[in-house]
Amino acid sequence: MPKSVYPHEPRRALSGPKGLAITNLSYMTDTLTIDTPTTMPVAHAKALYVETYGCQMNKADSELIVGLLLRDGYRLTDQVEQADVILVNTCAIREKAEQRVLGRMSELNRLKSINPNLILGLCGCMSQHLGEKIIDKAPYIDLLAGPDSYRRLPAMLQALDTNQEPALDLSWDRVEHYLDIDPIREAGVNGWVTIMRGCDKMCSFCIVPFVRGRERSTPHQEILRQIERLGEEGYKEVTLLGQTVNKYQDGKVDFATLLQRAAEIEGIERIRFTSPHPSHFPDHLIDIMADSPKICPHTHLPLQSGSTTMLERMKRDYTAKTYLDVVYRLRKKIPHIALTTDIIVGFCGETEEEYQATYEMMQTVQFDAAFMFKYSPRSGTAAYKRLEDNVPEEDKGRRLTAIIDLQKSISSDRNQAYVGRTVDVLVEGQSKRDEAKLFGKTDAFKTVVFPALPEIQSHMIVQIGITSVTPFTLFGDVV
Ligand code: SAH
Ligand code: F3S
């Protein structure tokens, strides 16, 4: 199953009616005055289907791709069999993710027997990582476009009308922000806004800097314009996106200032961001987070490892101690803050002691939730070139299972503390498991499920008294 299909499957449960998730097509026309180096809009009305894998950044990029191609005259379909063009937007972070997508591509290739003119394109991080050689393995791929090449998609697709050769564009662009392209966003309460592209951190395990290029911050005026528009269109929440989102800097406007300005925008009730880097949490940022009720008390703070020697090998530029200092400062100013994290086990040379340090750090911090991974070597990275992937698979598996179990019990305890409390929930829609229930999130990013009432609709903020919990969900009743 694809991780996410555009129009996106809502993340956990249905939000509103099924079908095309386009919220407002009127602004397609607003952008036609902009001089694009590609093609003029034509009424060819070919049907486009976009499928998305990976992080929120990819989701936001898919929204951009759809915006760009609808502007060029394509129409969107959610029926893959009816598509003239299928674009699969991909993730290269772990090998498993890549293998899944390759399996999916070969499955999609079967549709060519029904529609021989079908164009099958691979976009995003995997195209950039695997490069042209993927076409040797999967010659049915007609188009390869990296994260900096989306602007040229209309021209590439047009070239495929007359040319039998695959269309490839894996060029880098240090200044590409896609400023003039308005994304066609997923319907719902939350709008993603990409505020930075690329990453300069070069953590030794990570492929991102090699597939998404150099770090650059989008001009703040453009970000604020997008947020204002989201507010006007009825979105209640924005999530600011970047690989090191808190490192944002546009002239004198740093991340804290950007958050402060975003919080002044009408209509938007909640502001989230992901992923910040633990090395970029100055006190004035934490103060602004604490002072603005709109900035959600939740921070995703990727730890990776609780061992300082391991963090050094990972080139994470913080120590276990400085990480804990950030946690301490965040919790001191924002006592109710929820903290979530990413952890890798089995990275090159991980000793039992180093792994134990991660386990103990998780016990110390008590994260609300964690994404946990086994290390997956990625060609091109420093670790791939200079370190040995020498932790036996068995140990990787054992360590992963142990931290997953630990986190489950911590999440359960942390959620248990909500029983008897009343929380504000931004309603997203109908629960997938039970049509008689609605679901939404607290400001601390906890999913809450509660019985539907006729007067309660998505986009409303309602008070829910929590009666029971699991490690992943809170349940309750409208107060
Ligand atoms: N920008 C984020 C991370 C983006 S990648 C940060 O600051 O950390 C998302 C997560 O995938 C990472 O946090 C890491 O935990 C995991 N990851 C990245 N490369 C990986 C690899 N080679 N093997 C296993 N997990 C990896
Ligand atoms: Fe990857 Fe490290 Fe950047 S994890 S995305 S290189 S901050």
Side-chain angles (χ1 to χ4, degrees):
M1 277 295 289
K3 191 152 186 200
S4 153
V5 174
Y6 194 97
H8 305 269
E9 289 286 328
R11 282 174 295 282
R12 273 169 202 257
L14 294 179
S15 60
K18 271 191 169 180
L20 292 192
I22 296 171
T23 49
N24 183 355
L25 285 181
S26 63
Y27 58 80
M28 278 169 60
T29 48
D30 296 354
T31 53
L32 293 181
T33 47
I34 287 162
D35 179 29
T36 64
T38 55
T39 47
M40 287 301 289
V42 282
H44 49 64
K46 280 188 181 163
L48 167 72
Y49 178 90
V50 179
E51 197 165 288
T52 309
Y53 293 80
C55 63
Q56 291 92 338
M57 209 92 176
N58 268 6
K59 286 189 185 172
D61 275 359
S62 288
E63 294 179 344
L64 203 75
I65 291 172
V66 172
L68 179 74
L69 288 175
L70 293 204
R71 183 171 97 179
D72 197 57
Y74 286 81
R75 70 191 161 81
L76 199 56
T77 176
D78 61 354
Q79 305 294 313
V80 69
E81 303 80 14
Q82 286 167 18
D84 301 299
V85 174
I86 299 176
L87 298 179
V88 181
N89 193 8
T90 59
C91 170
I93 208 93
R94 281 169 293 276
E95 197 183 348
K96 240 190 191 167
E98 284 193 348
Q99 279 166 355
R100 241 173 94 217
V101 167
L102 288 176
R104 178 65 178 155
M105 292 304 279
S106 111
E107 208 175 284
L108 290 171
N109 177 38
R110 287 196 223 130
L111 293 172
K112 286 196 176 180
S113 59
I114 308 167
N115 176 6
N117 294 324
L118 173 68
I119 290 174
L120 193 51
L122 193 75
C123 300
C125 298
M126 235 176 104
S127 329
Q128 202 75 40
H129 180 219
L130 299 176
E132 283 179 43
K133 64 179 193 284
I134 184 62
I135 306 261
D136 299 333
K137 270 199 195 161
Y140 49 80
I141 293 178
D142 304 296
L143 177 149
L144 270 190
D148 284 353
S149 310
Y150 300 145
R151 184 178 294 282
R152 290 172 291 280
L153 277 173
M156 292 167 77
L157 288 167
Q158 206 178 46
L160 283 166
D161 282 343
T162 48
N163 197 339
Q164 296 301 309
E165 291 299 304
L168 311 179
D169 192 328
L170 302 171
S171 50
W172 297 106
D173 190 332
R174 280 172 177 238
V175 293
E176 181 61 277
H177 290 286
Y178 299 108
L179 287 192
D180 54 307
I181 300 159
D182 275 314
I184 301 290
R185 290 193 159 91
E186 175 183 16
V189 297
N190 176 73
W192 310 108
V193 178
T194 303
I195 71 163
M196 288 174 88
R197 300 188 71 88
C199 184
D200 281 353
K201 281 284 186 188
M202 294 286 180
C203 302
S204 63
F205 53 81
C206 185
I207 192 78
V208 170
F210 302 92
V211 293
R212 285 193 162 267
R214 300 305 299 268
E215 177 188 296
R216 61 247 184 215
S217 296
T218 302
H220 66 279
Q221 298 90 338
E222 168 63 16
I223 296 166
L224 297 171
R225 183 189 74 84
Q226 284 197 34
I227 301 174
E228 272 164 22
R229 179 163 243 164
L230 286 168
E232 286 159 14
E233 286 171 2
Y235 288 85
K236 294 287 170 219
E237 180 180 287
V238 293
T239 306
L240 308 181
L241 298 177
Q243 297 296 346
T244 48
V245 75
N246 50 340
K247 207 170 161 242
Y248 178 87
Q249 193 75 50
D250 173 35
K252 288 193 178 141
V253 179
D254 65 0
F255 186 61
T257 314
L258 186 72
L259 278 181
Q260 209 170 20
R261 300 246 188 113
E264 287 161 9
I265 292 173
E266 236 175 274
I268 299 297
E269 308 279 351
R270 289 181 172 183
I271 298 166
R272 302 186 185 280
F273 54 88
T274 197
S275 279
H277 192 283
S279 300
H280 301 272
F281 266 101
D283 282 335
H284 80 280
L285 168 58
I286 298 178
D287 288 340
I288 281 169
M289 287 169 63
D291 291 345
S292 168
K294 283 192 186 177
I295 302 170
C296 289
H298 165 227
T299 297
H300 185 71
L301 198 61
L303 167 66
Q304 315 302 0
S305 168
S307 147
T308 295
T309 49
M310 178 58 99
L311 289 168
E312 261 169 42
R313 287 210 289 293
M314 289 178 159
K315 297 260 176 291
R316 282 294 285 181
D317 78 14
Y318 53 87
T319 63
K321 190 165 173 288
T322 52
Y323 184 93
L324 278 176
D325 177 60
V326 180
V327 170
Y328 173 78
R329 288 188 294 120
L330 281 166
R331 287 216 171 116
K332 187 160 178 245
K333 293 265 169 66
I334 315 166
H336 55 300
I337 196 166
L339 294 178
T340 55
T341 198
D342 293 342
I343 287 170
I344 301 176
V345 290
F347 183 63
C348 307
E350 186 182 61
T351 62
E352 203 55 33
E353 290 70 37
E354 285 171 330
Y355 155 70
Q356 277 302 328
T358 300
Y359 193 94
E360 281 159 27
M361 178 72 112
M362 291 171 73
Q363 289 175 315
T364 307
V365 176
Q366 299 276 304
F367 294 106
D368 289 85
F371 295 106
M372 294 158 280
F373 313 101
K374 278 189 221 172
Y375 170 57
S376 166
R378 307 279 60 212
S379 59
T381 60
Y384 187 88
K385 290 185 199 149
R386 290 191 273 280
L387 301 172
E388 204 186 332
D389 174 29
N390 56 359
V391 176
E393 190 53 35
E394 199 188 318
D395 289 344
K396 284 186 183 174
R398 176 178 50 80
R399 290 172 187 177
L400 183 65
T401 308
I403 60 165
I404 288 174
D405 287 348
L406 170 66
Q407 185 54 48
K408 221 168 151 183
S409 112
I410 295 172
S411 298
S412 175
D413 289 349
R414 290 196 65 85
N415 285 353
Q416 200 61 46
Y418 278 85
V419 176
R421 278 171 54 188
T422 297
V423 288
D424 284 346
V425 175
L426 174 55
V427 184
E428 294 190 26
Q430 206 171 53
S431 159
K432 208 175 195 171
R433 296 219 175 117
D434 184 349
E435 281 189 8
K437 299 235 165 97
L438 295 174
F439 85 104
K441 289 209 182 65
T442 68
D443 55 359
F445 209 59
K446 303 276 180 189
T447 300
V448 181
V449 175
F450 57 94
L453 292 176
E455 64 273 25
I456 297 180
Q457 275 139 27
S458 75
H459 292 68
M460 287 169 72
I461 294 184
V462 292
Q463 290 199 311
I464 304 292
I466 302 303
T467 52
S468 65
V469 300
T470 69
F472 311 107
T473 313
L474 313 181
F475 298 89
D477 294 298
V478 179
V479 173

